[in-house]
Amino acid sequence: MYKRPHFTETDSEKVFEFMQQNPFAIITCVNGDFPVATHIPLEIRMIENKIILTGHIMNETDHYKAFVKNENVLVIFNGPHCYVSASWYVKKNIASTWNYMTVHTKGKLKLTDNNETKKIIESITNQYEGNNSEASFNKMPHDYIESMSKAIVGFHIEIESIENVFKLSQNRDELTRKQIIENLENSNDYNAGQIAEEMKIRL
């Protein structure tokens, strides 16, 4: 991780909020000679001052087998990112760059039994569907839930460490940052617009 003091968000509440806003995370661990990774929507909660990540994965996949052997995982939360041209700088004879926001968390993954797995499915489903949706957990057939829950396994991750990079041109002078924002706002790229909004907050 590219760690520099001016690119580090020191407000832990903002970091936690960023994770909740970007719950489709990448979970990685090492299994033998090569790392494995999987992309999973997570439920992110603060419980007794500890951040707990909850989700589920398919049985008998490469990442499931890796997690059985190695409980130590890295979870990556990615946010907006975009190219920043040095032509937008006040001082132009330097390299262009890339602005981005990301959080890396490390912890231990614990697999759950079938009953707890069903609770995890219910919680994540209702988080996005609500209780009144036709696709809510309580509207699914019992046989379907039983069949589905046997094909997957739930997990909890208790976060042990968090690092972040909110690289938003904080190392540039105010005029340069304003010119970067203006150019990003004139772009049709969604990520560029999001980065511009984050930069404006920090002016």
Side-chain angles (χ1 to χ4, degrees), residues 72-139:
N72 298 306
V73 295
L74 167 67
V75 185
I76 302 171
F77 297 86
N78 284 320
H81 58 90
C82 68
Y83 181 73
V84 175
S85 172
S87 67
W88 305 337
Y89 296 176
V90 172
K91 181 181 179 181
K92 303 182 187 304
N93 296 326
I94 52 179
S96 299
T97 191
W98 204 274
N99 278 0
Y100 63 96
M101 302 175 75
T102 188
V103 171
H104 289 194
T105 66
K106 295 177 183 177
K108 298 187 184 301
L109 184 147
K110 305 293 185 183
L111 299 173
T112 62
D113 61 22
N114 186 255
N115 286 333
E116 183 64 21
T117 294
K118 283 186 280 189
K119 292 179 182 177
I120 290 171
I121 298 170
E122 179 178 10
S123 181
I124 290 180
T125 301
N126 289 340
Q127 176 181 336
Y128 293 101
E129 288 292 339
N131 293 320
N132 298 321
S133 167
E134 291 299 321
S136 64
F137 185 84
N138 59 11
K139 301 251 178 101

Side-chain angles (χ1 to χ4, degrees), residues 29-36 69:
C29 80
V30 176
N31 181 21
D33 295 331
F34 293 97
V36 297
K69 293 180 181 179

Side-chain angles (χ1 to χ4, degrees), residues 184-202:
L184 294 179
E185 289 181 329
N186 289 333
S187 167
N188 292 323
D189 181 72
Y190 172 79
N191 279 297
Q194 293 297 106
I195 289 293
E197 288 301 314
E198 292 291 341
M199 289 181 65
K200 283 196 289 188
I201 292 171
R202 292 163 175 80

Side-chain angles (χ1 to χ4, degrees), residues 24-32 34-42 55-75 109-111 151-155 157:
F24 192 65
I26 303 170
I27 304 180
T28 71
C29 80
V30 176
N31 181 21
F34 293 97
V36 297
T38 191
H39 300 250
I40 300 177
L42 298 174
H56 57 80
I57 55 175
M58 296 293 295
N59 280 326
E60 304 309 319
T61 55
D62 59 347
H63 47 264
Y64 166 78
K65 294 174 182 177
F67 296 150
V68 169
K69 293 180 181 179
N70 184 358
E71 64 181 1
N72 298 306
V73 295
L74 167 67
V75 185
L109 184 147
K110 305 293 185 183
L111 299 173
I152 64 178
V153 60
F155 62 82
I157 302 171

